Amino acid sequence: MIIDDYQLKIQEDNIIKIFLSFSGEGRQQYAVKFLNFFNKYGIKCWYDHHQLLLGDLIKKEIVNKGIETVDYSIIIINKTFLSRRWPCEEAKKLYERFINNSRHIIFPILLDIEKDELKNSQINFLLNIKYQFLKSDQSIDKLGFQILNRILQDKLKDYKYSKIDILIFDLNNRNNKRFYYLYSNINILEKFNETDYNNKTIILICLTRFFKKISFIKIINNITDIIIDKKDINFDIYKIIESIFLINASNNITCEDYI
């Protein structure tokens, strides 16, 4: 699909930034993997090797250009992280921003450590946040999609159609033949089992591609590739596409730009 200048502008307006916090072997082991995962889906990550320039005051730049500017933070906590002073200070600063800014979300990831190890550390306050475990031999994809799902659902709160039911109700009340195709096909979703994420995702991708102006096209294209490769579509992937569909419906239908 060719993306025109307007669509590129939409994507620029939807830039989301994630701060990656890690220590020691966590860099190559998982920070870089998260960086590459989110870059693939069009999400920007604040990564020190990319943002810090020669001669910068490291801590000052990390706080001013990193921690204070991002929407989300991934804290990859391993034994090395817990034993180092600066990573723990970084986690404290991220938590302070989390407490003082309702739109800043932290994703704590316990890499090869147990809950008690974090509980007995100076950053045990992170246990107040829903965390996830990760082992060195595991892929980050499942976690990556969980995070992406949260990000898109947060984004959806700013749009008119925050739920499928709201969109269906609005289209029905419009009684406009112009929207009949969309209305009738959305209702097909109810014919599938609740856990039939594969078919429901396919339908919503197809419907989204009928919009004239599309946001988050990079995510749509990459999830389409997952379907083509016949890989499993889980709940988080389905919810990602559902959110993107509703965001695009809000952008297009309210502007009477649906074709």
Side-chain angles (χ1 to χ4, degrees):
M1 174 181 289
I2 298 175
I3 305 176
D4 60 25
D5 290 341
Y6 189 94
Q7 288 180 13
L8 287 173
K9 179 63 169 61
I10 289 176
Q11 291 187 47
E12 290 171 1
D13 290 343
N14 283 294
I15 289 176
I16 298 162
K17 296 179 182 178
I18 301 175
F19 185 90
L20 297 176
S21 181
F22 52 88
S23 179
E25 64 273 15
R27 177 185 298 279
Q28 291 301 325
Q29 195 176 30
Y30 277 102
V32 172
K33 291 180 182 178
F34 277 113
L35 175 70
N36 291 333
F37 176 91
F38 288 109
N39 181 64
K40 178 181 177 181
Y41 287 91
I43 306 296
K44 303 295 183 183
C45 289
W46 201 98
Y47 178 64
D48 58 357
H49 276 192
H50 290 176
Q51 269 73 33
L52 294 178
L53 301 176
L54 186 64
D56 280 345
L57 287 171
I58 296 175
K59 292 183 181 180
K60 179 182 177 181
E61 295 301 312
I62 287 176
V63 172
N64 293 342
K65 294 183 178 179
I67 293 173
E68 295 298 330
T69 66
V70 297
D71 309 286
Y72 299 89
S73 302
I74 297 174
I75 306 181
I76 305 170
I77 309 162
N78 56 6
K79 293 181 185 296
T80 305
F81 192 105
L82 295 176
S83 67
R84 300 280 176 82
R85 183 174 63 85
W86 170 245
C88 289
E89 286 184 19
E90 195 173 83
K92 290 176 183 178
K93 291 182 183 299
L94 288 167
Y95 189 74
E96 287 173 6
R97 186 155 192 263
F98 166 76
I99 293 298
N100 296 320
N101 186 336
S102 61
R103 295 186 73 90
H104 179 228
I105 304 300
I106 295 176
F107 304 110
I109 298 173
L110 279 58
L111 175 60
D112 294 330
I113 64 171
E114 300 299 325
K115 176 183 176 180
D116 285 345
E117 294 178 79
L118 181 57
K119 185 177 181 180
N120 296 323
S121 76
Q122 60 180 306
I123 57 171
N124 54 18
F125 48 81
L126 290 177
L127 291 174
N128 295 326
I129 305 171
K130 183 173 174 56
Y131 54 87
Q132 187 60 274
F133 292 100
L134 188 62
K135 298 295 183 183
S136 295
D137 59 350
Q138 290 180 312
S139 166
I140 67 155
D141 286 6
K142 183 177 180 180
L143 262 176
F145 286 125
Q146 286 180 15
I147 293 170
L148 200 54
N149 177 21
R150 171 58 192 264
I151 290 172
L152 267 299
Q153 291 207 44
D154 284 349
K155 193 76 176 174
L156 185 59
K157 294 174 185 177
D158 296 329
Y159 290 84
K160 178 180 179 180
Y161 301 125
S162 57
K163 295 181 180 179
I164 292 286
D165 290 346
I166 296 174
L167 174 59
I168 291 175
F169 179 80
D170 186 47
L171 292 176
N172 186 47
N173 284 345
R174 284 172 180 260
N175 194 25
N176 188 329
K177 292 182 179 179
R178 193 170 175 219
F179 300 106
Y180 179 74
Y181 173 84
L182 181 61
Y183 173 77
S184 60
N185 280 279
I186 294 174
N187 280 294
I188 291 176
L189 291 173
E190 297 181 358
K191 296 184 179 181
F192 293 100
N193 293 331
E194 184 67 26
T195 57
D196 190 353
Y197 306 126
N198 191 76
N199 281 315
K200 293 196 293 185
T201 299
I202 291 172
I203 289 173
L204 290 182
I205 287 177
C206 291
L207 293 177
T208 303
R209 290 188 182 279
F210 273 91
F211 290 123
K212 183 178 180 182
K213 301 165 186 175
I214 304 177
S215 299
F216 301 107
I217 189 68
K218 199 168 185 178
I219 297 177
I220 295 170
N221 288 342
N222 278 287
I223 291 179
T224 299
D225 288 341
I226 292 175
I227 294 170
I228 292 172
D229 292 339
K230 297 182 179 180
K231 296 178 181 178
D232 289 338
I233 300 297
N234 60 26
F235 171 78
D236 288 298
I237 295 176
Y238 167 68
K239 293 300 290 185
I240 289 166
I241 291 298
E242 181 182 89
S243 294
I244 292 174
F245 168 71
L246 290 169
I247 288 170
N248 281 287
S250 298
N251 284 338
N252 286 267
I253 295 174
T254 55
C255 299
E256 297 293 324
D257 282 331
Y258 183 75
I259 58 172

